[in-house]
Amino acid sequence: MLHSIIGAITGENDRKKIRGTVVLMKKNVLDFNDLSASVLDQVHELVGQGVSLQLVSSVHADPSNGLQGKVGKPAFLEDWITTITPLTAGESAFKVTFDYDKEVGQPGAFIIRNNHHSEFYLRTLTLEDVPGHGRIHFVCNSWVYPADKYDTDRVFFTNQTCLPSETPGPLRRYRERELVNLRGDGTGELKEWDRVYDYAYYNDLGNPDRDPKYARPVLGGSVEYPYPRRGRTGRPPSETDPNTEGRLPLLMSLNIYVPRDERFGHIKMSDFLAYALKALVQFLLPEFEALCDSTPNEFDSFQDVFDLYEGFKVPDGPLLDKIKENIPLEMLKELVRTDGEGLFKFPTPQVIKEDKSAWRTDKEFAREMLAGLNPVLIRLLQEFPPESKLDPEVYGNQNSSITKEHIENHLDGLTINKALEKKRLFILDHHDTLMPYLRRINTTSTKTYASRTVLFLKDDGTLKPLAIELSLPHPDGDKFGAVSKVYTPAEHGVEGSIWQLAKAYAAVNDSGHHQLLSHWLNTHAVIEPFVIATNRQLSVLHPINKLLDPHFRDTMNINALARQILINAGGVVESTVYPSMYAMEMSSVVYKNWVFTEQALPADLINRGMAEKDSDAPHGLRLVLDDYPYAVDGLEIWSAIETWVEDYCSFYYKTDEMVEKDSELQSWWKELREEGHGDKKDEPWWPKLNTVKELIDTCTIIIWVASALHAAVNFGQYPYAGFLPNRPTISRRFMPEEGTPEYEELKSNPEKAFLKTVTAQLQTLFGISLIEILSRHSSDEVYLGQRDTPEWTQDATPLKAFEKFGRKLADIEENIIKRNGDERFKNRVGPVNMPYTLLYPTSEGGLIGKGIPNSVSI
């Protein structure tokens, strides 16, 4: 009102105006308890300290400002105090009115200053009826802190997309300076309002200040322990080891630094998920421990495990009171399914929903290598017996002791040579990865073996296991080779029980490989350097930034929480997965063999012998095993991504020379190789990134890893492993030998003996509590083929190509449903009657075992 009166007196109202709408979310929407911030913001408004915006010209340079774009007069957000903020986390729209200035002309950017006490999340600015240009839209999606937190102004650009060389002259320095700000100067401890993306080694996993037993090697920066880089926090070193970064106290886990725009969104359990993890660690573990201490720390039968999903009673008293006291009611309902009567209940995992015993069959054991939680490891057996690649000078003879006598009678009349020739033999090989660490791992509470599982492809397209080899290091030293024993299928008596245990040892190895390598290393860890390099070297105006940005959502945040709670010394992974304190060190050794170009699905399948190049086949590949659900669905998704990326990149890069001369793109790729994956910088396999084809291939791999590959190895965790006997993560004793009490127990009570061998009761409760959270989709998840901002670019051709991509993914969903209903494909549903949907592109929120989020977001 006052503004209007002054305008009428001064004649300002007669000047041409540009009206705009700002969409933002106030901080107090998220922090119900931060009333002081809201009150202070209103006080600032009353004394004229509001939120100002200034338009920046894309056509007229200002000689007095270093030829940067001419800056218009400040305009302020209107009606901050009177605009009602929704009680649920949501956005508010504010009007803003700019004086039209011919010297500014067409705006290409705007400067915003927040003179309030607290930050807000700026979503968009839309200008209407800009003279000569009409509507202009700015996509911001960024937290804006009070101006005194920044050394330079916050600048946002229109949703135009342009290469560095095509940037309008008046905007060029703004574009360059913004990237400089995001890189930081490499010094100091970073604060929540800092917008710095920088690199660090994994030197924050150990906690030697707590106890020397929690010291861990630094991963990254050495030949012995190479590793991808993580985001730098700048925390000071620990007191006892200057090479180890100091740890945050557990209660401060949510405060671990990542750039504010990389934090979880408000709906995505920004508090809920992270707090749930914290609650599990802090409260549920000791409370469950107390519960389990009142009974032996063992399951006595499979029915004891089934009871977890049917409800188990916690006695009234201090235990239940303390749980209720420490965990908010809504959180308690979500985490532990209490009905208020002390009945705890976990959701029934899909693997036992239809049939409680089918998981034990050999057919299901084998099927899960093709359509389970870790379908990325099985390979064609191309020599017999299987050979080791470990150095015989160090490890002696590590070749397999499986002989033709073990398996030849089970090859449907084929000889071994004929079966090899016809590509009918396959192997799940956990020998070479585990053997160098096995002696040390077995000094912990874990007691396990290196394993090889050999399988045969039957005429109906299913696999049957032929033999499992379990190996230990030679007691006299590594150079004497392995001590191995081979187990073959049996259904009845003690032999049947021993075979079930042999499968369990193989499953333990596969669980560890899955969690540490297929999941953590090959998706979470390897993607983070791409997130950092993209923000440091590619402007938000750059087409490749716009292409990749959705595939980086929440990755730095979930990885930071993982370092704080999950993969740290004494953390969840060390407590619940068999390599124990050697877990992360093992993943570093495996990273030595990581090759970027082999992360492409076609290259991976060819490397494992699971496919051959065939120009006449769909996607240019012929699968060796037709009914391989992960590969069949995956190749359709891969091809759809590749086509989308090709359509997109070809619009902006008409020639190879444009790729080669793109200064930001070349700086991005150089930094990614030399810094982000710096321990791999001299590898010959890195693409040169001098051609449009190399750019398309590179971006396709990045998107595949961040979206579909991660979905395939993450969201099946609870459906398959929520029933831990199916996917045990730890083995606690060796195979019983004849003549021992353990062998007698195996004969008399095989279920109890099995359960005493695999993951214990407490670790099971803790493990399934955790993977239940990690297997859930948040309700605001954005899936492959979707964007959270429809106007992410103003270029029509890429928008149409993206719509085509979405339609292709919808077709793939229909194909998956048809294949799952086709009885010819026996591996798609299996004995457990559980259709393979992990690569079904879309989903709703919750625990449903399908859906491909755009990014490594959980």
Side-chain angles (χ1 to χ4, degrees):
M1 176 71 79
L2 186 62
H3 185 271
S4 302
I5 294 169
I6 293 170
I9 294 169
T10 60
E12 265 191 36
N13 289 358
D14 299 329
R15 295 177 61 183
K16 197 172 282 186
K17 305 290 185 185
I18 299 175
R19 307 204 182 277
T21 303
V22 169
V23 177
L24 60 79
M25 185 165 56
K26 294 181 181 181
K27 183 197 179 205
N28 68 294
V29 169
L30 304 180
D31 292 333
F32 296 113
N33 299 325
D34 196 358
L35 294 175
S36 61
S38 181
V39 172
L40 281 167
D41 287 348
Q42 293 182 22
V43 171
H44 285 212
E45 278 285 323
L46 288 170
V47 297
Q49 295 179 332
V51 177
S52 70
L53 295 86
Q54 294 172 278
L55 300 179
V56 179
S57 176
S58 65
V59 288
H60 300 302
D62 183 352
S64 67
N65 192 22
L67 293 178
Q68 295 184 111
K70 176 85 174 168
V71 179
K73 289 182 179 178
F76 288 84
L77 292 190
E78 299 163 15
D79 302 324
W80 181 276
I81 297 174
T82 57
T83 299
I84 297 171
T85 302
L87 285 175
T88 55
E91 295 156 355
S92 304
F94 295 87
K95 298 299 180 187
V96 61
T97 306
F98 299 92
D99 290 332
Y100 176 64
D101 185 343
K102 284 184 180 176
E103 291 189 22
V104 172
Q106 182 179 356
F110 71 90
I111 294 167
I112 188 165
R113 287 181 64 83
N114 174 9
N115 298 306
H116 286 168
H117 168 77
S118 54
E119 68 272 21
F120 55 80
Y121 186 74
L122 181 61
R123 177 71 76 184
T124 58
L125 165 64
T126 307
L127 304 178
E128 304 293 349
D129 301 323
V130 177
H133 305 287
R135 182 176 180 275
I136 296 179
H137 188 64
F138 299 79
V139 175
C140 307
N141 290 336
S142 183
W143 284 93
V144 177
Y145 275 77
D148 61 6
K149 299 293 187 188
Y150 299 125
D151 294 329
T152 57
D153 289 327
R154 292 298 310 273
V155 177
F156 294 94
F157 300 93
T158 63
N159 66 336
Q160 72 180 111
T161 306
C162 57
L163 300 177
S165 60
E166 299 165 346
T167 311
L171 297 180
R172 196 161 289 164
R173 285 190 61 189
Y174 286 103
R175 177 173 180 154
E176 292 167 355
R177 191 173 64 194
E178 177 70 356
L179 287 173
V180 170
N181 292 339
L182 291 169
R183 291 175 202 140
D185 62 7
T187 63
E189 183 170 358
L190 296 168
K191 305 298 183 188
E192 66 172 275
W193 51 83
D194 287 320
R195 303 168 55 237
V196 171
Y197 294 80
D198 203 356
Y199 303 99
Y201 301 138
Y202 277 72
N203 65 344
D204 61 341
L205 303 180
N207 191 358
D209 290 352
R210 179 181 171 191
D211 191 292
K213 72 179 181 181
Y214 294 113
R216 296 292 181 269
V218 174
L219 305 184
S222 67
V223 174
E224 187 177 9
Y225 299 121
Y227 222 62
R229 303 299 186 257
R230 63 169 175 94
R232 186 177 79 83
T233 67
R235 291 200 305 269
S238 66
E239 293 178 10
T240 50
D241 179 7
N243 294 319
T244 297
E245 186 170 281
R247 299 277 303 167
L248 279 181
L250 191 63
L251 283 168
M252 301 288 288
S253 292
L254 292 185
N255 293 339
I256 189 167
Y257 174 78
V258 294
R260 186 69 170 91
D261 292 344
E262 300 299 329
R263 286 193 177 276
F264 293 151
H266 58 289
I267 297 172
K268 167 149 186 183
M269 320 185 254
S270 68
D271 343 8
F272 172 75
L273 165 86
Y275 185 70
L277 287 171
K278 190 170 73 171
L280 278 167
V281 173
Q282 287 177 225
F283 302 124
L284 292 189
L285 180 57
E287 304 316 334
F288 279 142
E289 197 154 14
L291 170 64
C292 296
D293 282 349
S294 64
T295 62
N297 188 22
E298 299 291 349
F299 294 111
D300 293 325
S301 67
F302 289 133
Q303 186 57 49
D304 283 356
V305 186
F306 294 135
D307 286 345
L308 297 178
Y309 317 107
E310 289 155 16
F312 59 101
K313 189 90 161 76
V314 178
D316 288 328
L319 168 61
L320 193 59
D321 292 343
K322 190 173 181 190
I323 294 177
K324 287 179 177 176
E325 186 184 309
N326 282 313
I327 303 177
L329 181 61
E330 289 306 309
M331 184 76 64
L332 189 65
K333 285 179 182 172
E334 182 64 29
L335 287 177
V336 292
R337 304 296 181 290
T338 179
D339 57 3
E341 301 300 320
L343 190 69
F344 284 67
K345 185 177 178 182
F346 292 97
T348 303
Q350 282 173 271
V351 77
I352 56 167
K353 195 169 271 184
E354 299 294 327
D355 186 322
K356 288 185 176 180
S357 61
W359 66 274
R360 301 187 72 176
T361 62
D362 289 357
K363 187 178 284 189
E364 179 61 22
F365 172 72
R367 183 190 81 93
E368 290 184 21
M369 300 177 199
L370 303 172
L373 188 50
N374 194 29
V376 296
L377 197 63
I378 188 171
R379 63 179 174 85
L380 183 70
L381 187 59
Q382 295 176 307
E383 78 284 318
F384 189 87
E387 295 178 0
S388 170
K389 292 180 181 170
L390 292 174
D391 184 353
E393 294 287 317
V394 178
Y395 296 104
N397 179 13
Q398 293 288 338
N399 292 335
S400 177
S401 62
I402 300 173
T403 64
K404 77 173 191 175
E405 285 74 23
H406 287 122
I407 68 171
E408 200 158 60
N409 290 337
H410 305 282
L411 302 179
D412 292 359
L414 299 178
T415 64
I416 285 178
N417 286 339
K418 206 69 180 167
L420 289 170
E421 184 187 320
K422 287 180 168 288
K423 303 186 189 304
R424 302 278 293 269
L425 290 175
F426 296 83
I427 185 169
L428 187 71
D429 194 341
H430 292 293
H431 185 94
D432 286 4
T433 302
L434 194 49
M435 185 55 79
Y437 277 87
L438 195 52
R439 196 182 299 277
R440 282 176 284 171
I441 288 170
N442 283 339
T443 63
T444 70
S445 57
T446 294
K447 299 292 179 275
T448 196
Y449 302 88
S451 65
R452 293 182 176 106
T453 304
V454 174
L455 307 106
F456 177 69
L457 176 61
K458 295 164 63 179
D459 290 337
D460 66 359
T462 63
L463 293 174
K464 69 173 179 181
L466 299 173
I468 295 174
E469 177 187 51
L470 301 179
S471 304
L472 289 169
H474 198 285
D476 295 334
D478 289 349
K479 65 182 180 181
F480 293 100
V483 177
S484 303
K485 192 164 182 181
V486 178
Y487 299 87
T488 54
E491 289 186 19
H492 305 293
V494 71
E495 293 81 10
S497 301
I498 285 172
W499 173 242
Q500 289 296 332
L501 278 178
K503 290 194 293 182
Y505 289 115
V508 165
N509 288 348
D510 201 54
S511 293
H513 188 287
H514 161 261
Q515 204 60 274
L516 294 171
L517 307 175
S518 304
H519 183 201
W520 167 258
L521 175 66
N522 288 340
T523 63
H524 285 259
V526 301
I527 280 292
E528 187 161 357
F530 289 91
V531 183
I532 299 169
T534 299
N535 281 280
R536 286 168 56 89
Q537 298 296 343
L538 296 179
S539 163
V540 292
L541 293 165
H542 198 285
I544 302 305
N545 181 306
K546 288 186 187 288
L547 173 68
L548 296 179
D549 180 68
H551 304 288
F552 299 150
R553 181 187 191 222
D554 295 340
T555 301
M556 290 186 74
N557 200 161
I558 194 63
N559 284 4
L561 281 171
R563 299 196 312 273
Q564 182 66 14
I565 296 171
L566 301 181
I567 61 174
N568 57 302
V572 175
V573 168
E574 288 194 359
S575 304
T576 59
V577 180
Y578 73 83
S580 188
M581 62 184 291
Y582 301 106
M584 291 302 291
E585 187 180 323
M586 264 181 69
S587 75
S588 164
V589 171
V590 171
Y591 176 66
K592 291 178 181 179
N593 299 318
W594 182 82
V595 177
F596 173 72
T597 50
E598 290 178 2
Q599 307 313 299
L601 179 61
D604 168 56
L605 293 170
I606 290 168
N607 280 346
R608 291 190 283 121
M610 301 300 286
E612 298 168 337
K613 287 184 179 177
D614 182 346
S615 58
D616 295 328
H619 322 298
L621 283 187
R622 183 172 54 79
L623 291 174
V624 168
L625 203 163
D626 291 335
D627 186 13
Y628 183 1
Y630 164 74
V632 173
D633 297 359
L635 284 170
E636 288 195 352
I637 299 287
W638 169 270
S639 295
I641 294 171
E642 187 176 45
T643 300
W644 150 238
V645 173
E646 183 176 1
D647 290 347
Y648 182 87
C649 290
S650 300
F651 177 76
Y652 294 104
Y653 296 93
K654 306 299 186 191
T655 65
D656 292 343
E657 185 181 24
M658 291 178 73
V659 172
E660 201 168 357
K661 292 193 171 175
D662 182 338
S663 56
E664 286 183 6
L665 188 72
Q666 294 304 324
S667 296
W668 170 71
W669 194 238
K670 182 176 190 290
E671 181 173 285
L672 190 281
R673 296 190 325 268
E674 296 181 2
E675 297 286 340
H677 282 278
D679 299 328
K680 296 277 189 179
K681 63 184 177 184
D682 297 323
E683 298 285 2
W685 39 254
W686 284 109
K688 302 295 184 201
L689 215 64
N690 288 335
T691 67
V692 179
K693 173 74 165 64
E694 285 179 323
L695 178 61
I696 291 166
D697 291 347
T698 296
C699 292
T700 303
I701 292 172
I702 294 168
I703 294 171
W704 163 259
V705 170
S707 60
L709 179 59
H710 178 258
V713 297
N714 183 75
F715 293 102
Q717 289 188 87
Y718 196 84
Y720 285 101
F723 180 67
L724 225 62
N726 185 52
R727 298 280 302 176
T729 57
I730 288 175
S731 50
R732 296 176 288 147
R733 61 185 193 182
F734 293 121
M735 184 72 83
E737 296 288 342
E738 206 165 348
T740 64
E742 290 80 9
Y743 190 86
E744 291 306 311
E745 182 180 48
L746 189 65
K747 283 167 69 175
S748 63
N749 193 340
E751 284 191 10
K752 188 170 186 177
F754 181 96
L755 292 164
K756 279 171 115 173
T757 301
V758 299
T759 318
Q761 187 181 36
L762 170 63
Q763 290 161 318
T764 296
L765 290 167
F766 191 33
I768 63 178
S769 296
L770 179 72
I771 63 171
E772 184 195 344
I773 292 168
L774 298 183
S775 302
R776 284 181 175 274
H777 292 296
S778 64
S779 57
D780 72 336
E781 193 62 81
V782 185
Y783 296 95
L784 195 63
Q786 301 174 355
R787 294 257 175 163
D788 60 359
T789 306
E791 295 182 72
W792 55 275
T793 179
Q794 64 186 17
D795 294 326
T797 301
L799 288 173
K800 284 180 182 171
F802 190 65
E803 286 178 16
K804 185 178 89 170
F805 177 44
R807 289 194 300 271
K808 180 61 180 173
L809 292 172
D811 292 343
I812 291 171
E813 290 186 344
E814 289 186 16
N815 294 343
I816 290 172
I817 291 169
K818 284 178 187 170
R819 285 193 290 268
N820 284 344
D822 190 330
E823 292 184 1
R824 292 175 302 164
F825 302 130
K826 300 187 184 308
N827 296 322
R828 296 202 67 92
V829 175
V832 292
N833 196 16
M834 180 178 173
Y836 185 72
T837 54
L838 291 175
L839 288 173
Y840 187 91
T842 58
S843 176
E844 55 271 19
L847 190 69
I848 51 179
K850 68 176 183 179
I852 303 175
N854 270 324
S855 60
V856 179
S857 59
I858 186 71

